[in-house]
Amino acid sequence: MAGIIMEIVQKGWPISRIKKFIYLGFLLVAAIFTVLYIVKTNPINYVSDKLPFTLGNEKPRFLFSIYGSGMNGGLSKPMDVTFVNDRIYITDTGNKRVQIFDRSGNSVGLFGKAGNKAGEFKFPYGITGDSEGLIYVSDMRNANISVFDRAGSFVKILADNKQLNKPGGLYISENRLYVSDIAESKVKVFDLNGKKLLEIGKAGRGKEELNSPNSVSVEGNRVYISDSGNDRVQVFDTEGKYINTLGFENNSKTSMFVNPRGIGVSGGRVFVASKVTSYVFALDQNGQKIFTLGGMGQEDENLALPNGMFIDEEGRIYIVDSANQRLVVYQN
Amino acid sequence: MKLTRLSLILTLSLALVMAISTAAFAAQAIDSGPVKGDGRSDYAATPKNTTTTYPGGIYLEYDANGVAKDIHSNYQRNTDACASCHATHTAVGASLLQWANVTDTCNACHDGTITTTYDVVYGDFANGTRTYGGLFGGTTEGPNSLSKHNVGEVNIAAAPGGNSAGKADGFGSEWGKSFECSSCHTPHGQGRNFRILHPDVNGLATINRVKGETLTSPDNLVFSSLKAPWLYGRPYNSSNFSDSTHTAVYVNGVKQLTGFSIDYKTGKVTFTSPPTGTVTAWYVPSFKVTGDVANKLTANEKVTYKEGFNEFCGACHTDYAALTRGDGKRLTGVYQEAYRHAFGFNYSSGPNKKGLVFSNNAAKSMTNEFTCMTCHVAHGADQTWWTDWKTKSGWEGIVSGENAGSSALKRLPNMATCESCHEKGKGDYTY
C-alpha cells in the first residue's frame, strides 16, 4: 500500500489510472463489508480484535485494597466508586456518607451524613465526576442526585424525586449524565443542568427491556447497562438504540452473570461485576469471556459480593468489594 | 501536479471516511437476535405452579416435583451461584457453608436494589407498600428507636428467654451458631413453609427426630409415615449412621442399605420387592409454619398467619414459648422462671384488637389465635414503620416514638399492643 502511494507520488500517474484505482478501492471496501455483513461479523470488533493495544489474555495486576480510614470507622457496605480530581471517591453506603482517598489509597476526607435534607443521605449509591471536578451522588432512598464540590461541600440538587424514583448507578460522558433508575427500570439521560434529554429501556424481561438496572457505563457510542434483575448486560447506543446483549456465551441458555452490577470498559475489554457469584468477568467485544477476577473469599485477589466499578484513563480498575467492606484496585 | 496529489489525498480520505461509516453502520445493523435465556432468569415473582420444574431454580432435586415453586427460581445451577453461600462447588454439604456471608448474600437482592422483591432493610417493596415483616434498617437514635433482630452480629444464644450458655440442649441445638437470615429462613425452601421459614429452626426438628416409627404399608411395597415432610440432607451413610441426625430404614431391626427409595416430601419408603416383617424408620420430621400470602408483591398484599408461630419464635425464645403456656398466676420458663401472659388462646370476642394480627389456625380450630405475631414483627420496627403500618386503624393518633429502652420489635409503640385489648388508657401511654 505504502509502496503504491510512493510510486503514485513520485511518478505522477495519469488521472484516469488514479480514478480506476479509486473505483477499485471502493469496490473492494464494499465487497469486504458485504461479506462481513453476510457472515454477521462486526467489522469494528473484527478490526479491534486484531489491533495491538488489546491485551490478549493477560490478567490485570492486583495493586492494593482500601479498607477506609480507621479513624473514621472504615467502610460499611460500600456500593460505588469513581476516580476524578486525582481522588478516589467511594459511596460508604452503610455509613451514609462518601469517603475520599488519594491515588495511593490514603484517606483525605469524607462528606455527608444521615438524613433527608439537601446534601444528606439515606442510601448514597452511584457516584461520578464531571470535567470541572464536581461530584455527583445519587441517593436511592431520598430519590435525588446531589452535586458536591471536589472537597465535598454541597452545591445543589441536580434532580429530585419528581424526576427520579430509585436512582442507582451514574456515569458522565460528553456532558451527559446517565442515571439508572432502578424502580422504573430505565436509564435516564440528563444534561448537566438537570434537564432530561432521553430515556433508555422500559420495565420487562424481553429485548430492550430492563429489570432493576443497577449500573450504567458509557464508552464512545456505547451505553452498557447492567440489567441486574434479568441477569444480563444490554448495550445501547447513545441515542437509545439497542445494539446487543452480553452474558450469554456460545448460545448458552443461562447467563454467566447472577445479579450483575458495575461495568467498566478498557483496552477493548468489558468488565462486569457478577455480584452474587463474586466474580468480575472480562469479556471481549463479542461478549466472549476472556477471564475472571475474584471468586468468593477474603484474600487480596478474592471478592465478596462486588458491586460498583470504575476504570480510569490509565487502566486502573476500581472494584467495590461490598461484603469485604473494601475497595480493590487492579491495573489493566 | 500539486492539484492531482491534493485530490488524490482527498479522495483517499473520503474512501476512508466511507469505510469507517460503513463499518459503524454495519455494527449498528448487526443485532444478536432475540435475547437468549431459559425464560427464568428474571427476578419477577415466579408464578405459583405445582407442575413445572424451573431448571434454574434453587430447589434441590428431592423437592423437584409437586412443590409450589414460587421462590428463588432465579438462581442458576450451571453458574457458581451456589458458591456465594457454599464454599466448594464439587461437594455441597451442610458443613461447607460459609455462614458469615449468608446474610450479606440475601441482602444483595433484598436491600432494595432489586425491585421485583422485598426490601427487608427499609421494610417495603417497589411501590412503597410496607412488608409485614418490618425492617432491619431505620433510625436507631432517640425516640424513633429501631429494634431489630441483629442478624450477622450475635449468636443465637443471645436470644432473650433462650439458653445463654450457648451449648446444645434438649430445646435447641444451634445456640452456639451465628444468628443469620438463614437461622430463620431456608433459602432452598425445604419443608415448604410459609415464607420459606426454616423447618429446623434452632435444630428444633433435629431434636424431635423420630427414633424408630413403625411404618404402615398400603401394598407391601410402599410404607408411609404421617409426619411428612422429612428433612433431607442428612446423608444416608452407614459408617456415619450413629450421628443423631440421620435418616435410616430398618426391616425387622436390620438396617437397610439398598433395595428401597425415600420420598422425603411424603415420607414414603418404597421397596423394590416386598419386605417381610416390620418396617421402622428413623427420620427428622420438618417443623411446619403455615400461612398465606394473597396478592403477593402488590399494593394489596395480605398475609394470613396460620399454624406454628409460637413454636417458631419459641425455638429460640424458649422461655416465652407456647409449650409452657403462662397464665399470669404461676411461674413458667425453662431457663428463667417468671409470670408470663397467657397466649396461644383464641381471642374471638372482646375489645377492638386495633393494629394487632391474629392467626387463623385451623389445626387448632382457632380463627383468632393469640400468638407472638399478634404483638411483634419478625424483622424489626421503628417509628416510620409504625406510622405506616396498615392495620393500625383506630390508632392513627400514634405519632410518638418509643419511650422505653427498646421498641422490642413491637407492632405498635409503648403500651399500645396491650391497650388494644385491655383499653385501660391511650395507646401512647408510656410505661
Side-chain angles (χ1 to χ4, degrees), chain B residues 180-300:
Chain B
E180 307 283 340
C181 309
S182 49
S183 306
C184 290
H185 297 279
T186 159
H188 296 291
Q190 293 111 301
R192 280 163 293 278
N193 280 336
F194 165 73
R195 295 295 199 196
I196 55 173
L197 288 174
H198 208 297
D200 193 15
V201 55
N202 194 16
L204 193 66
T206 307
I207 287 162
N208 291 320
R209 180 186 186 217
V210 173
K211 297 171 182 168
E213 178 187 74
T214 304
L215 301 186
T216 52
S217 167
D219 61 5
N220 283 332
L221 265 177
V222 179
F223 295 80
S224 67
S225 160
L226 288 174
K227 291 185 198 127
W230 293 358
L231 275 187
Y232 181 79
R234 317 287 183 253
Y236 198 106
N237 173 342
S238 55
S239 65
N240 216 356
F241 162 66
S242 57
D243 185 320
S244 63
T245 60
H246 294 162
T247 305
V249 173
Y250 291 79
V251 175
N252 288 331
V254 179
K255 192 180 170 211
Q256 305 296 297
L257 294 174
T258 53
F260 68 94
S261 62
I262 299 175
D263 180 345
Y264 286 81
K265 190 180 58 155
T266 56
K268 279 188 178 149
V269 179
T270 308
F271 286 86
T272 39
S273 58
T276 44
T278 318
V279 177
T280 47
W282 293 47
Y283 63 91
V284 183
S286 295
F287 169 68
K288 270 195 203 151
V289 194
T290 58
D292 268 344
V293 186
N295 308 317
K296 183 169 170 178
L297 288 162
T298 70
N300 300 320

Side-chain angles (χ1 to χ4, degrees), chain A residues 308-329:
Chain A
M309 186 165 27
F310 187 81
I311 305 188
D312 71 15
E313 276 163 7
E314 284 159 46
R316 266 191 176 197
I317 310 174
Y318 302 92
I319 305 169
V320 176
D321 191 8
S322 71
N324 283 330
Q325 327 264 44
R326 65 180 180 185
L327 180 83
V328 242
V329 187

Side-chain angles (χ1 to χ4, degrees), chain A residues 77 141 229 231 253-254 276, chain B residues 32 37 43 78 84 111 119 124:
Chain A
K77 192 178 173 164
R141 276 285 164 178
D231 285 339
K253 282 190 147 189
T254 42
V276 168
Chain B
S32 332
Y43 294 177
N78 63 344
S84 56
D111 66 348
D119 177 348
D124 67 2

Side-chain angles (χ1 to χ4, degrees), chain A residues 70-92:
Chain A
M71 202 175 65
N72 295 325
L75 296 164
S76 163
K77 192 178 173 164
M79 290 297 276
D80 203 4
V81 58
T82 195
F83 181 78
V84 61
N85 305 328
D86 213 29
R87 293 279 185 264
I88 301 166
Y89 293 81
I90 304 174
T91 41
D92 185 7

